[in-house]
Amino acid sequence: MYRYETLVQEMQRKIAQGHWKEGERLPSIRSLAKAYQCSKSTVIRAFHQLEQQHLVYAKAQSGYFVVKKGSQEDNKSGEWIDFASASPDSQLFPYRDFQHCLNQAIDRYQDSLFVYGTSHGLLSLIEVLQKHLAAYQVFADLNQFVITSGVQRALSILTMMPFPNQKEMVLVEQPTYHLLVQLLKLAQLPSIGIERTAKGIDLDYVEHLFQTKSIKFFYTTSRFHNPLGTSYTQAEKKELAELARRYQVYIVEDDYLVDFEVDSKADPIYSYNRDNVIYLKSFSKNLFPGLRVGVIILPSELISSFIQYKSIHDIDSSMLSQAGLEIYIKNGMYQYHQEKIRAVYVSRMKKLNQVLDNLEIADTISYPVLQSGLHSHLLLKYPISLPKLQSKLDQYQVRFGTMYNSYLSSYPAKRMIRLNLSTVPEVKIEEGVTRVVKEINRLSHLQKRQFF
C-alpha cells in the first residue's frame, strides 16, 4: 500500500470518528507532513484523494476543510443524528483500494466476464473464503461453498427448496431479520416465532418446538443479532447444535458480522455441528450493500438441491464482484479494513454504553451492554407512542429505528427502539442518545401518571 493511501485511511478514520468536525479547517500540509513523517507531496496527494471522495474541500489561500453533509432541506441547523440508518459508514470505505482491485479483476478475468460461470461461484474466491473463514472455526470442503447474490438470495432459495427432513415450517426468532419476515409473508410459507431477548432464548421451548412441530429450519443470527445486537453465549450455541442433531432440524446460522467479533473464543454454532447447520456470511455491512456477494456453506446432502434451485434463479452471481472481492481479500486489504472499522465500531459501542450508564433510565428503559457490532436496542418499560416520540425528536434532528417490521404478523411486537451506530460519528452519540432518553423519560412519566 502506498504511503499516501495509508494517510488517506487515517484521515478517513479521524473524520468518521469526529476528531475533525464538519466544516472544521484541517491541519496544514506542512504540519501533517511533519506529524506523519512524510513528504508534503504525499499529503497533497492524500488531500486530492479525499476531495474525490467528497470528504474534504479546498478554499483558496485558506487550506482544506471537512465537508458538511446533508441537504439544506434536511440540515438547516446541522446534520441529523441518524440512529435509524442501518447502512455502513461510507466514510470508512477504502474506495481507492477497492477500485484498484476491480481494475485488476477486469484485467485478470476479462475472458470470464463474457461467459456464464459455475453455480458454485468463482473457485478462486471460494478458496480464499475457505481460508478466511477457517480462522473463525468454520471448516468445510470447497464443494460445500456456494456464492450467492447476497445472503437474501440464499435465504430465498432455502425457503423454497425441499429438505431431507421433509418438514415445512420455518422457525424464526422474534424479532428477526425484517427481509426474511417479508419473504415468508410474500411466499405464504408456514412459520412460527420464538422470543429472543437481551438475555437469550428459552432453550427448553426450542426443544419443545423441535420435538412437536414440523420445523424445516430454524433461522438465527447467533452473534450481533439483527435487530437486537446481542449474541448467544457459547453454552447456548452448543445446546442449539445438540438439539438440531437430536431432532434432525436444520439451523440456518446468519453470521453476517463475524468479522466484528472481539472475543477470540466465540465460535459459531456451525463449529459444533456441521451436519445440521447451514452457515451464511454476508459482506454488505462490512464493505457495502451494492457488492451483492454472500456465501453459504451447506451440509453435503443439501448441495445438489440448492445448486439446482440457484441455477434457475440467477445462473451465477456477479463475476466482477466476486473477482474484486477475491483480490481484495488475497492482497490483505480486507483484513486491514476490518481491523480499522472494527476498532471504530467498538469505540462507538463503548461510548454508547458510557452514555447510557450515566443517564437516569432505570425506571423507564433497559438495554444490553455490548462490546461490538453496529447496533443496540432500548426496551421501553411503558407503552409510549413511538410516532409521538419520533415527532418530538424531529425538532432536534434525531432519528431512531423501530422493530415492528421484524416481527411475524402473528407475533406480538415488543416496544423497542433500535440504535444503529454505523453512520453516527462517535462525537454525536452522547448528544443524540441523551435527546432520545430525555423524551422517553418524559413520555413515560406522562404515561405513568395516567395509570395512577
Side-chain angles (χ1 to χ4, degrees):
M1 182 179 297
Y2 294 113
R3 185 72 183 89
Y4 85 93
E5 292 178 317
T6 301
L7 181 56
V8 166
Q9 293 189 349
E10 176 63 17
M11 295 173 76
Q12 286 174 335
R13 182 184 65 80
K14 286 192 173 184
I15 292 172
Q17 291 183 341
H19 292 291
W20 294 325
K21 299 178 181 178
E22 295 172 18
E24 180 180 343
R25 184 179 184 273
L26 294 167
S28 68
I29 293 172
R30 184 188 300 274
S31 62
L32 285 172
K34 182 178 180 180
Y36 289 99
Q37 297 182 341
C38 61
S39 66
K40 288 189 288 185
S41 62
T42 296
V43 177
I44 292 172
R45 191 172 182 185
F47 272 134
H48 288 170
Q49 181 66 35
L50 292 168
E51 277 191 293
Q52 293 177 9
Q53 297 173 14
H54 306 293
L55 296 179
V56 306
Y57 64 97
K59 284 185 179 180
Q61 300 180 345
S62 297
Y64 287 87
F65 295 78
V66 180
V67 169
K68 293 183 179 180
K69 296 191 300 181
S71 66
Q72 292 181 352
E73 181 180 352
D74 275 353
N75 198 5
K76 294 177 182 179
S77 61
E79 185 185 359
W80 282 78
I81 301 175
D82 192 358
F83 293 114
S85 174
S87 299
D89 193 337
S90 61
Q91 293 191 37
L92 296 178
F93 183 72
Y95 295 90
R96 178 82 176 190
D97 287 351
F98 204 82
Q99 182 183 36
H100 177 68
C101 292
L102 288 176
N103 290 337
Q104 278 193 322
I106 291 174
D107 291 338
R108 185 179 301 180
Y109 294 102
Q110 53 185 306
D111 293 336
S112 300
L113 298 177
F114 294 92
V115 296
Y116 292 111
T118 67
S119 294
H120 273 273
L122 184 64
L123 178 59
S124 53
L125 172 60
I126 292 175
E127 291 172 341
V128 168
L129 291 176
Q130 182 188 45
K131 181 178 180 180
H132 175 71
L133 291 174
Y136 299 112
Q137 300 302 305
V138 177
F139 300 100
D141 296 332
L142 289 175
N143 72 317
Q144 292 180 262
F145 286 75
V146 181
I147 305 299
T148 60
S149 301
V151 161
Q152 185 66 16
R153 176 55 56 91
L155 288 173
S156 177
I157 295 171
L158 290 171
T159 56
M160 286 187 287
M161 61 179 271
F163 273 37
N165 59 15
Q166 297 182 332
K167 298 178 181 179
E168 299 179 347
M169 185 171 289
V170 176
L171 176 64
V172 294
E173 297 159 327
Q174 294 292 272
T176 191
Y177 177 41
H178 70 284
L179 289 181
L180 178 59
V181 172
Q182 293 179 27
L183 173 63
L184 294 172
K185 181 179 180 180
L186 185 65
Q188 297 182 333
L189 295 170
S191 56
I192 186 172
I194 180 170
E195 183 180 25
R196 179 165 174 178
T197 70
K199 296 180 180 179
I201 197 169
D202 185 341
L203 290 169
D204 290 334
Y205 191 49
V206 172
E207 181 172 16
H208 170 74
L209 293 176
F210 279 11
Q211 187 176 21
T212 61
K213 302 291 183 180
S214 180
I215 305 296
K216 177 181 179 179
F217 66 77
F218 170 40
Y219 172 83
T220 178
T221 314
S222 57
R223 74 179 109 206
F224 309 125
H225 181 267
N226 185 359
L228 297 178
T230 56
S231 300
Y232 283 136
T233 64
Q234 289 307 110
E236 287 174 313
K237 293 176 185 176
K238 290 178 181 178
E239 181 63 21
L240 285 170
E242 176 55 33
L243 291 174
R245 180 182 293 110
R246 187 182 309 162
Y247 295 103
Q248 288 303 296
V249 173
Y250 289 92
I251 292 177
V252 176
E253 182 180 19
D254 192 343
D255 208 7
Y256 73 121
L257 286 185
V258 58
D259 295 302
F260 283 30
E261 183 60 77
V262 294
D263 182 0
S264 60
K265 297 180 180 180
D267 298 330
I269 302 172
Y270 180 87
S271 65
Y272 303 114
N273 182 348
R274 302 177 194 174
D275 294 326
N276 302 99
V277 179
I278 301 163
Y279 185 86
L280 299 176
K281 170 73 176 79
S282 169
F283 296 90
S284 295
K285 299 299 184 185
N286 50 353
L287 286 177
F288 60 100
L291 183 65
R292 305 314 304 147
V293 174
V295 60
I296 181 170
I297 299 176
L298 296 153
S300 298
E301 59 187 356
L302 294 179
I303 296 172
S304 177
S305 181
F306 187 90
I307 290 297
Q308 182 181 10
Y309 274 76
K310 181 181 183 297
S311 299
I312 296 173
H313 272 73
D314 61 4
I315 305 177
D316 191 15
S317 303
S318 168
M319 180 64 71
L320 183 57
S321 291
Q322 292 183 70
L325 180 58
E326 175 219 330
I327 294 171
Y328 189 64
I329 297 176
K330 188 178 291 185
N331 286 352
M333 296 177 180
Y334 182 84
Q335 181 177 357
Y336 178 84
H337 174 63
Q338 293 311 300
E339 290 173 354
K340 181 185 71 172
I341 64 172
R342 184 193 302 121
V344 170
Y345 289 130
V346 166
S347 183
R348 291 182 188 180
M349 191 63 72
K350 182 179 179 180
K351 182 66 175 180
L352 174 64
N353 293 334
Q354 290 174 344
V355 172
L356 289 172
D357 190 50
N358 290 329
L359 293 172
E360 296 182 4
I361 61 175
D363 293 337
T364 57
I365 301 168
S366 64
Y367 69 96
V369 178
L370 309 177
Q371 303 304 314
S372 185
L374 298 180
H375 56 270
S376 185
H377 72 275
L378 304 180
L379 176 62
L380 310 185
K381 297 182 179 181
Y382 289 91
I384 66 175
S385 167
L386 295 189
K388 184 180 293 186
L389 173 63
Q390 184 59 75
S391 177
K392 183 64 177 179
L393 290 172
D394 283 346
Q395 301 176 30
Y396 305 106
Q397 296 180 296
V398 177
R399 295 191 184 100
F400 62 83
T402 61
M403 299 189 189
Y404 292 124
N405 61 355
S406 295
Y407 285 89
L408 298 172
S409 58
S410 59
Y411 204 94
K414 286 200 169 183
R415 189 167 274 98
M416 290 186 283
I417 70 172
R418 180 174 178 173
L419 297 178
N420 294 304
L421 303 179
S422 55
T423 60
V424 180
E426 186 173 326
V427 294
K428 292 286 188 179
I429 291 176
E430 182 170 7
E431 177 188 349
V433 172
T434 301
R435 286 291 186 188
V436 171
V437 169
K438 180 179 179 181
E439 290 307 318
I440 290 175
N441 285 344
R442 185 181 66 83
L443 292 173
S444 296
H445 292 149
L446 288 175
Q447 188 72 26
K448 185 177 180 180
R449 283 203 296 267
Q450 290 181 7
F451 284 121
F452 298 97

